[in-house]
Amino acid sequence: MAVVRGVFGATVVGGLVWAVPALAQTGTITGRVVDSTTQQPLNAATIRIDGTQRGAQTREDGSFVLAAVPTGRQTLRVSRIGYAAQRSPVTVNAGANTIPPIRLRQLAATLAPVVSIGYGTVRREATTAAVSTVNTSEARVGVQPNVNDLIQGRAAGVQVTSNSGDPGAGAQIRIRGGTSISTSDEPLYVIDGIP
């Protein structure tokens, strides 16, 4: 073990003793996140301190606790699905800091259409293939005894031919005609990722 002697050693030790209390200056932020319209608590909202990895999620009652936050001026970023993200400045002092409720405003978001291709998905505008969509509002029109009848006449290029008129009878479905020479022309059905 080496021992540093002299004026330089005393300066290093003195500097370390002075730096430890400065690093230990932290505080705790407690608060609540609520809906701005209904004032109901919002659970699963994410609270992060800008510029750091420190964060937390709200509980069922909308409350949160952020511990060991450096003292001084900080900016909280609060976000939740379905709500506009919000930034709130806060001054953190050593010890506990309770802030007023954070009110998030609901945000109506339009989701981009997604096309399922085989075993993957792609944004609709990024695909080069022809795509047909059957909306649920269109599917509810009329009485449809089965799924085959549901898509007949509603999706371009799809032909549904019933084997017979009997209930539960099978049907042949062709998408843009029969094109395979060596395999079946039947479409591949993928439900919840399982073919």
Side-chain angles (χ1 to χ4, degrees):
M1 182 167 119
V3 177
V4 178
R5 296 180 189 242
V7 177
F8 179 72
T11 304
V12 171
V13 171
L16 289 175
V17 171
W18 177 80
V20 170
L23 292 175
Q25 294 296 319
T26 61
T28 301
I29 301 173
T30 59
R32 214 165 156 243
V33 179
V34 297
D35 183 292
S36 65
T37 306
T38 64
Q39 302 304 310
Q40 294 297 314
L42 295 176
N43 67 329
T46 302
I47 297 97
R48 290 218 177 275
I49 298 174
D50 271 355
T52 71
Q53 294 296 319
R54 194 168 312 281
Q57 277 200 329
T58 57
R59 300 181 194 113
E60 289 291 323
D61 63 351
S63 66
F64 67 91
V65 176
L66 280 169
V69 178
T71 57
R73 192 148 177 86
Q74 304 290 345
T75 302
L76 296 180
R77 184 179 189 281
V78 183
S79 61
R80 186 176 190 273
I81 294 175
Y83 289 83
Q86 179 180 329
R87 283 189 161 79
S88 299
V90 63
T91 302
V92 180
N93 299 316
N97 299 272
T98 302
I99 62 172
I102 298 171
R103 292 174 174 81
L104 294 184
R105 181 179 44 86
Q106 286 188 8
L107 178 68
T110 304
L111 300 176
V114 174
V115 178
S116 293
I117 302 173
Y119 293 104
T121 58
V122 74
R123 290 187 339 268
R124 187 173 186 140
E125 61 269 7
T127 184
T128 57
V131 175
S132 294
T133 304
V134 179
N135 294 325
T136 55
S137 60
E138 296 170 3
R140 292 187 188 136
V141 176
V143 177
Q144 305 300 331
N146 57 43
V147 175
N148 298 333
D149 292 339
L150 179 77
I151 62 173
Q152 186 170 2
R154 289 192 171 99
V158 177
Q159 295 174 332
V160 179
T161 308
S162 296
N163 292 340
S164 72
D166 295 335
Q172 290 182 341
I173 299 176
R174 299 290 179 262
I175 301 173
R176 290 178 178 72
T179 57
S180 177
I181 295 172
S182 61
T183 60
S184 170
D185 285 329
E186 291 295 317
L188 172 65
Y189 296 98
V190 180
I191 299 171
D192 292 335
I194 301 170

